[in-house]
Amino acid sequence: MRIKLNIGLFGFGVVGSGLYNVLNQSKLLDASISAIVVKDPTKKRDAPSSLIHFDKDIILKDSNTNVVVELINDSEAAYEIVKSALASGKHVVTANKKLIAEHFEELITLSRANNVSLLYEAAVGGSIPIIRNLEEYYNNDTLSSVQGIVNGTTNYILTQSNQGVSYEVALKKAQELGFAEAEPTLDVDGFDSKYKLVLLIKHAFGVLSQPDEVYNYGIRHLKPQDVNYALEKGYRIKLFSRAEKLEDGIAGFVAPHFVGPEHSAYRVNDEFNAVIVEALFSDKQLFIGKGAGSYPTASAVLSDISALQFDYRYEYRKSDAEQSGKLISDYYLKVYVGSENEENVKNFPFTEVDEAFKSKGYNYQTGYVKFSDLQRINLNKSADLSLIVLPEPLFSEKSEQGVLLKNKLNFAEIN
Ligand SMILES: NC(=O)c1ccc[n+]([C@@H]2O[C@H](COP(=O)([O-])OP(=O)(O)OC[C@H]3O[C@@H](n4cnc5c(N)ncnc54)[C@H](OP(=O)(O)O)[C@@H]3O)[C@@H](O)[C@H]2O)c1
């Protein structure tokens, strides 16, 4: 049975105004916006003034409103709004990844206790339908990895860098085009990608991680020499949110990666996002689309609203399944580490080095590092060191390759 949806909308910015227009054009939905709550009374809006309000209780205390769509740019205020909406028995749709990643358990518990839905498709990958696909389509036991470019700002900057534009100029261009905030830390240091990864890991593997447990390293410190290395080897640099099932759990982190022309993400440029899902029988599948912007993001919000008509909710079945694992750190990855300072490269905790380059202006080494050793370094704060993950697969300490590497190290130590 279809439910008639009376929507209270919080926020009328990029996404909120997009949703208003998209909803007005959608003939199939039995849904209407009964009130819009915003912050600034002096702003002009492309919506009837009778709909615009400034008091959140106009929506939260209205018993006819059965859906709250939260699209504001203040996570603390959003937290209070969403909690209050769920507690008063209203379904909630939001695009706020930070809010969901940081308060996941509390908000899900509240939605279940009040028998309402909390949906957030737009929080990851903008227009790409990935949350509901991971939730409904892929079994945990056959799913082996989910990785993607889920931040359009950094992908735009990296696309420019790959063409030889410096980081500073590329960031400025991104800010002029409205892709990057004046204070870009959340994007360029990989925090935004990390919040999204927390949600991907939950829906892909049923594992709940706190944002603090997930390592994020962004693109701020990449140097032209790193880009030159990429060009020489035929790679491009992409910032990946990456989650992979290994022998004893889930590896999950955010870091720049080198990708070659054979990689599905190689040609994903500018502000586009892409998510690559790998499963046992279906092999690799690529989802690509606009990761941000008014209408692309509103389209994902609209899809959630549409799902509410049929009382859809995430069931988190994988969380209850026995096979749902945990986040692990005992695995190896192959990395490139570069710096103008030779000592920085030498002191990096490589387990095994296989290529080293020294010159007057720049030095780099490539080799394997144990993830738990990497985790101890705050790379976002190490301005004179850059790290990029190489295309070789990750492997756990318990895998055949891990045991071989350990034996090799023991042998070297004895001799
Ligand atoms: N922009 C994108 O492409 C994109 C993509 C994916 C997800 N998202 C997420 O979508 C959400 C909205 O982003 P946006 O880009 O649309 O933001 P935005 O353009 O900056 O607009 C924010 C809106 O929130 C309103 N607002 C702020 N604090 C409020 C409060 N306490 N009560 C009521 N309204 C308040 C503002 O009111 P005034 O108009 O009065 O200032 C404004 O209308 C964020 O969670 C963002 O992370 C955005």
Side-chain angles (χ1 to χ4, degrees), residues 183-291:
E183 209 303 83
T185 302
L186 280 184
D187 289 326
V188 300
D189 286 347
F191 287 94
D192 177 82
S193 299
K194 184 238 290 274
Y195 298 132
K196 292 166 177 167
L197 182 60
V198 167
L199 303 186
L200 289 174
I201 291 175
K202 181 69 189 165
H203 287 275
F205 302 111
V207 174
L208 178 60
S209 46
Q210 298 306 319
D212 286 351
E213 296 169 323
V214 177
Y215 191 76
N216 61 293
Y217 169 51
I219 63 164
R220 193 196 288 267
H221 303 312
L222 297 185
K223 306 279 184 300
Q225 291 91 330
D226 306 325
V227 176
N228 286 343
Y229 177 92
L231 289 175
E232 270 169 28
K233 305 276 178 187
Y235 295 142
R236 285 179 184 162
I237 304 172
K238 300 286 170 193
L239 184 69
F240 278 151
S241 293
R242 179 169 181 183
E244 219 163 294
K245 194 187 274 178
L246 298 178
E247 267 77 357
D248 38 6
I250 308 297
F253 62 91
V254 175
H257 284 61
F258 287 124
V259 294
E262 72 296 341
H263 197 288
S264 331
Y266 184 79
R267 285 176 192 81
V268 177
N269 287 326
D270 299 320
E271 73 277 30
F272 276 85
N273 280 199
V275 181
I276 301 139
V277 179
E278 198 168 355
L280 189 60
F281 303 116
S282 50
D283 207 344
K284 283 188 183 155
Q285 287 171 308
L286 170 71
F287 296 79
I288 183 165
K290 289 200 168 158

Side-chain angles (χ1 to χ4, degrees), residues 104-105 108 112 120 131 134-135 196-209 243 316-320 324:
F104 188 87
E105 254 177 328
I108 298 309
R112 283 179 169 162
Y120 42 83
I131 297 287
L134 289 173
E135 182 70 18
K196 292 166 177 167
L197 182 60
V198 167
L199 303 186
L200 289 174
I201 291 175
K202 181 69 189 165
H203 287 275
F205 302 111
V207 174
L208 178 60
S209 46
Y316 303 103
R317 278 185 294 248
K318 294 173 189 172
S319 313
D320 306 326
S324 82

Side-chain angles (χ1 to χ4, degrees), residues 83-122:
K83 262 198 319 186
S84 163
L86 294 171
S88 58
K90 300 182 195 310
H91 302 292
V92 171
V93 175
T94 175
N96 191 330
K97 55 263 157 182
K98 184 169 189 278
L99 166 78
I100 302 294
E102 283 182 342
H103 302 286
F104 188 87
E105 254 177 328
E106 181 190 3
L107 296 179
I108 298 309
T109 306
L110 199 54
S111 71
R112 283 179 169 162
N114 290 282
N115 196 24
V116 285
S117 298
L118 170 61
L119 303 180
Y120 42 83
E121 186 64 65

Side-chain angles (χ1 to χ4, degrees), residues 2-220:
R2 280 183 188 227
I3 308 167
K4 157 101 180 98
L5 306 174
N6 292 317
I7 299 170
L9 173 62
F10 282 90
F12 201 72
V14 174
V15 188
S17 61
L19 177 71
Y20 178 78
N21 291 334
V22 165
L23 253 179
N24 280 342
Q25 284 173 40
S26 166
K27 304 265 180 292
L28 292 173
L29 266 178
D30 192 6
S32 58
I33 295 178
S34 44
I36 301 170
V37 169
V38 283
K39 201 173 172 185
D40 182 351
T42 64
K43 274 191 196 168
K44 276 204 155 31
R45 322 267 171 186
D46 281 336
S49 58
S50 57
L51 279 182
I52 304 290
H53 302 272
F54 305 94
D55 175 3
K56 61 182 179 187
D57 288 341
I58 294 277
I59 290 176
L60 296 174
K61 296 222 164 115
D62 176 31
S63 56
N64 284 326
T65 300
N66 54 0
V67 180
V68 163
V69 177
E70 181 283 302
L71 298 171
I72 72 172
N73 57 354
D74 172 344
S75 284
E76 291 310 309
Y79 173 57
E80 297 304 328
I81 288 166
V82 168
K83 262 198 319 186
S84 163
L86 294 171
S88 58
K90 300 182 195 310
H91 302 292
V92 171
V93 175
T94 175
N96 191 330
K97 55 263 157 182
K98 184 169 189 278
L99 166 78
I100 302 294
E102 283 182 342
H103 302 286
F104 188 87
E105 254 177 328
E106 181 190 3
L107 296 179
I108 298 309
T109 306
L110 199 54
S111 71
R112 283 179 169 162
N114 290 282
N115 196 24
V116 285
S117 298
L118 170 61
L119 303 180
Y120 42 83
E121 186 64 65
V124 184
S127 65
I128 300 175
I130 189 66
I131 297 287
R132 222 180 305 159
N133 265 314
L134 289 173
E135 182 70 18
E136 304 294 337
Y137 186 84
Y138 295 97
N139 261 333
N140 188 10
D141 55 345
T142 55
L143 196 61
S144 50
S145 81
V146 179
Q147 64 173 339
I149 299 167
V150 289
N151 181 277
T153 307
T154 45
N155 203 41
Y156 176 82
I157 295 172
L158 286 173
T159 305
Q160 295 282 313
S161 305
N162 287 327
Q163 291 162 5
V165 179
S166 74
Y167 168 81
E168 288 75 20
V169 172
L171 172 63
K172 199 156 172 282
K173 261 181 148 176
Q175 284 165 330
E176 281 163 10
L177 287 167
F179 295 151
E181 303 282 336
E183 209 303 83
T185 302
L186 280 184
D187 289 326
V188 300
D189 286 347
F191 287 94
D192 177 82
S193 299
K194 184 238 290 274
Y195 298 132
K196 292 166 177 167
L197 182 60
V198 167
L199 303 186
L200 289 174
I201 291 175
K202 181 69 189 165
H203 287 275
F205 302 111
V207 174
L208 178 60
S209 46
Q210 298 306 319
D212 286 351
E213 296 169 323
V214 177
Y215 191 76
N216 61 293
Y217 169 51
I219 63 164
R220 193 196 288 267

